[in-house]
């Protein structure tokens, strides 16, 4: 019986490998033999999760044709991978990817670093900050006081607690978007909300238009659901959406769903203006596309001169095109797994009905905690604390990276939690690998793209500040030197650093 569970075609693997090409070698830089470069490229794809473990690789002859190299080169690369534990083969069954014994399975999304690793590793992988105390403790205490009446029920509220649905609806109304509680469903985080929407409106093989780049975990969620992702390139820098491209994709590809982050886009930090939002909603309506607007970053403006545009759903008064997703995870705390959907009442009823086959509902205690924050004014004070912390971290990280890596290019966003950085012509995948060895964890650009795009980028979140930001930049510079030299980290262990 074959040991592989999926397959990677020769053309797909060739595209992924081509995206890894580094900048031209400088004087004195050693170029590895062709077979070694090919083996290293495949190993990187496996380590980053962009080629799954137990995926059948193309036959040697097929891959050689796609890469325009000799079959001998591919055979030697496969043999090198087998000797290192990254490939297994059996006559008649082909060759499939593996990881050496003792290595953790690679994550295909962005997963938090285990707390026990934080002493020696600076984690720039996860764009999430610690809880804004004392507001978390106060919210949980307030929730406990409200819990007794709910404890006498079965505890399942598929649409969410009525009090929290009403409070979220009231907050939209206060923003100038009249909303009824019947238009709200409370979910287990924004991921739970988007997963439910994709299952309702999409299916295996459904086209979904996504910004390029976009949030890595959402892209992976959609891939796992069997969606066909249609990337739409963002405009340069912080300019936001390219509406000409959006209109063309919506017209030509006719995707059933489009997913966008209009408010401090993850990862670029761009903020779409009113005109862009209006035109995108009009284009989606004309194409019959359901537009998912992710508002998880909408309250994280960091500069005083930011004038927030109207919510995307404000340009869809009939409620037929836009479905809005919100969350407490970014603005408050990632451990507070409360999200919500705002949509037309019939869409909410369909989502609630489908929930019987998913998670039945969101934890009551956490809903009560968020409702306490909303109803007491604690939310505004906690979010203001979050903004101050993110602003300080952003400024410290920007200054540190500019000192340690002056050739890296980026624009400083006015909000959100992430910095999208062009890494001076270096491979983001190789920087990520080298970073693990020198004590800094950073996600590479291709995690935020489709089919290997953005190899020359990394994403840096505003999760560290002060001396930790300085040390993170120093370690990133060390990783860059490793990549530039084509060598290794020299076996040096990362210094222990306690934040």
């Amino acid at each position: 019986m074959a040991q592989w569970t999926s397959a990677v075609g020769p053309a797909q693997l060739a595209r992924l490998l081509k995206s890894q090409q580094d900048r031209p070698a400088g004087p004195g830089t050693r170029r590895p033999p062709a077979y070694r470069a090919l083996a290293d490229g495949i190993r990187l794809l496996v380590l980053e999760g962009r080629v799954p473990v137990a995926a059948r690789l193309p036959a040697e002859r097929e891959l050689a044709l796609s890469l325009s190299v000799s079959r001998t080169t591919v055979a030697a690369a496969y043999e090198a991978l087998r000797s290192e534990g990254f490939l297994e083969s059996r006559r008649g069954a082909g060759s499939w990817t593996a990881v050496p014994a003792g290595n953790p399975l690679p994550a295909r999304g962005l997963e938090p670093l285990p707390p026990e690793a934080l002493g020696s590793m600076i984690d720039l992988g996860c764009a999430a900050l610690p809880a804004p105390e004392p507001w978390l403790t106060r919210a949980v205490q307030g929730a406990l006081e409200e819990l007794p009446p709910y404890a006498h029920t079965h505890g399942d509220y598929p649409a969410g607690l009525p009090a929290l649905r009403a409070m979220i609806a009231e907050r939209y109304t206060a923003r100038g978007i009249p909303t009824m509680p019947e238009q709200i469903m409370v979910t287990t985080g924004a991921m739970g909300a988007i997963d439910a929407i994709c299952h309702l409106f999409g299916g295996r093989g459904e086209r979904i238009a996504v910004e390029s780049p976009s949030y890595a975990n959402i892209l992976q969620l959609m891939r796992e659901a069997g969606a066909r992702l249609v990337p739409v390139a963002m405009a340069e820098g912080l300019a936001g959406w390219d509406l000409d491209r959006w209109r063309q994709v919506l017209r030509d590809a006719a995707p059933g769903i489009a997913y966008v982050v209009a408010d401090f886009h993850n990862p670029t930090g761009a903020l779409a203006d009113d005109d862009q939002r209006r035109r995108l909603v009009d284009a989606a309506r004309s194409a019959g596309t359901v537009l998912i607007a992710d508002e998880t970053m909408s309250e994280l403006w960091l500069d005083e001169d930011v004038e927030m545009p109207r919510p995307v759903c404000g340009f869809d008064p009939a409620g037929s095109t836009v479905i809005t997703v919100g969350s407490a995870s970014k603005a408050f705390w990632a451990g507070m797994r409360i999200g919500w959907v705002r949509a037309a009442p019939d869409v909410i009823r369909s989502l609630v009905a489908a929930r019987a086959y998913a998670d039945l509902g969101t934890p009551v205690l956490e809903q009560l905690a968020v409702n306490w924050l909303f109803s007491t004014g604690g939310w505004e004070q906690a979010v203001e604390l979050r903004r101050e912390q993110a602003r300080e971290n952003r400024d410290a990280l920007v200054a540190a990276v500019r000192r340690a890596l002056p050739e890296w290019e980026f624009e400083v966003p006015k909000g959100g939690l992430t910095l999208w950085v062009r890494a001076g012509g270096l491979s983001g995948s190789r920087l990520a690998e080298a970073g693990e060895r020198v004590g800094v964890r950073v996600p590479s650009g291709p995690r935020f793209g489709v089919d290997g795009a953005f190899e020359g980028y990394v994403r840096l979140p505003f999760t560290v500040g002060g001396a930790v930001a300085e040390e993170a930049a120093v370690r990133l510079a060390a990783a860059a030197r490793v990549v530039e030299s084509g060598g290794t980290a020299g076996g040096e262990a990362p210094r222990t650093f306690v934040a």
Side-chain angles (χ1 to χ4, degrees), residues 135-275:
W135 298 106
L136 175 62
T137 298
R138 292 179 183 177
V140 173
Q141 290 171 342
L144 287 171
E145 293 175 2
E146 299 292 331
L147 182 61
Y150 296 94
H152 293 293
T153 72
H154 51 61
D156 287 335
Y157 295 86
L161 295 185
L164 181 55
R165 295 177 73 196
M167 183 60 67
I168 294 170
E170 183 180 315
R171 291 173 64 84
Y172 275 106
T173 300
R175 294 169 67 189
I177 315 297
T179 303
M180 304 179 294
E182 291 80 8
Q183 292 177 262
I184 301 296
M185 181 177 83
V186 180
T187 62
T188 307
M191 293 286 289
I194 294 167
D195 184 51
I197 296 166
C198 289
H199 277 89
L200 178 64
F201 287 96
R204 190 158 292 276
E206 177 68 73
R207 291 187 183 93
I208 301 180
V210 295
E211 296 151 326
S212 183
S214 186
Y215 178 37
N217 285 345
I218 293 296
L219 294 181
Q220 192 57 36
L221 181 155
M222 292 172 174
R223 290 188 188 102
E224 298 290 345
R228 297 165 60 189
L229 301 183
V230 182
V232 186
M234 297 282 287
E236 284 295 318
L238 299 177
W241 299 325
D242 185 325
L243 269 300
D244 290 336
R245 288 174 177 167
W246 269 106
R247 276 195 299 271
Q248 181 179 355
V249 167
L250 294 178
R251 182 184 64 244
D252 296 347
I257 303 171
Y259 168 76
V260 297
V261 184
D263 303 289
F264 307 118
H265 175 259
N266 186 354
T268 69
L271 177 65
D273 61 30
D274 281 323
D275 184 58

Side-chain angles (χ1 to χ4, degrees), residues 140-421:
V140 173
Q141 290 171 342
L144 287 171
E145 293 175 2
E146 299 292 331
L147 182 61
Y150 296 94
H152 293 293
T153 72
H154 51 61
D156 287 335
Y157 295 86
L161 295 185
L164 181 55
R165 295 177 73 196
M167 183 60 67
I168 294 170
E170 183 180 315
R171 291 173 64 84
Y172 275 106
T173 300
R175 294 169 67 189
I177 315 297
T179 303
M180 304 179 294
E182 291 80 8
Q183 292 177 262
I184 301 296
M185 181 177 83
V186 180
T187 62
T188 307
M191 293 286 289
I194 294 167
D195 184 51
I197 296 166
C198 289
H199 277 89
L200 178 64
F201 287 96
R204 190 158 292 276
E206 177 68 73
R207 291 187 183 93
I208 301 180
V210 295
E211 296 151 326
S212 183
S214 186
Y215 178 37
N217 285 345
I218 293 296
L219 294 181
Q220 192 57 36
L221 181 155
M222 292 172 174
R223 290 188 188 102
E224 298 290 345
R228 297 165 60 189
L229 301 183
V230 182
V232 186
M234 297 282 287
E236 284 295 318
L238 299 177
W241 299 325
D242 185 325
L243 269 300
D244 290 336
R245 288 174 177 167
W246 269 106
R247 276 195 299 271
Q248 181 179 355
V249 167
L250 294 178
R251 182 184 64 244
D252 296 347
I257 303 171
Y259 168 76
V260 297
V261 184
D263 303 289
F264 307 118
H265 175 259
N266 186 354
T268 69
L271 177 65
D273 61 30
D274 281 323
D275 184 58
Q276 289 175 320
R277 295 169 191 236
R278 179 185 299 104
R279 291 166 63 195
L280 182 57
V281 172
D282 289 345
R285 185 183 299 113
S286 297
T289 298
V290 173
L291 187 62
I292 304 173
D294 186 337
E295 287 191 335
T296 55
M297 298 281 192
S298 64
E299 296 190 63
L300 290 177
W301 63 85
L302 304 183
D303 294 341
E304 296 298 329
D305 61 347
V306 175
E307 187 172 331
M308 290 302 295
R310 187 171 174 79
V312 176
C313 59
F315 300 98
D316 180 38
S320 59
T321 299
V322 178
I323 297 178
T324 302
V325 171
S327 172
S329 297
K330 297 297 186 185
F332 186 74
W333 184 47
M336 188 69 77
R337 303 306 304 158
I338 298 294
W340 52 86
V341 177
R342 181 200 180 275
D346 62 314
V347 173
I348 295 297
R349 286 194 295 270
S350 297
L351 288 170
V352 171
R355 201 168 191 180
Y357 309 101
D359 61 1
L360 292 177
T362 303
V364 169
L365 189 63
E366 292 184 24
Q367 291 188 72
L368 289 172
V370 172
N371 192 59
W372 183 91
L373 288 165
F374 284 158
S375 61
T376 62
W379 177 267
E380 284 71 24
Q381 295 182 67
V383 172
E384 181 55 39
L385 182 63
R386 169 67 75 239
R387 291 190 195 108
E388 292 175 7
Q389 188 177 16
R391 185 185 306 116
E392 292 174 0
N393 287 355
R394 179 197 63 181
D395 295 347
L397 185 64
V398 164
V401 172
R402 281 177 171 163
R403 280 192 292 271
L405 293 151
E407 68 277 14
W408 286 19
E409 303 171 48
F410 53 85
E411 291 190 42
V412 182
K414 292 180 175 292
L417 290 173
T418 57
L419 196 66
W420 186 235
V421 180

Side-chain angles (χ1 to χ4, degrees), residues 84-167:
E84 295 163 4
F86 286 94
L87 196 68
E88 296 181 10
S89 304
R90 194 170 70 238
R91 186 179 298 277
S95 300
W96 56 92
T97 56
V99 292
N103 279 41
L105 287 175
R108 304 199 72 191
L110 305 179
E111 297 184 357
L113 191 70
E116 61 269 18
L118 292 176
S120 60
M121 183 73 70
I122 297 177
D123 186 10
L124 297 181
C126 189
L129 290 162
E133 289 287 25
W135 298 106
L136 175 62
T137 298
R138 292 179 183 177
V140 173
Q141 290 171 342
L144 287 171
E145 293 175 2
E146 299 292 331
L147 182 61
Y150 296 94
H152 293 293
T153 72
H154 51 61
D156 287 335
Y157 295 86
L161 295 185
L164 181 55
R165 295 177 73 196
M167 183 60 67

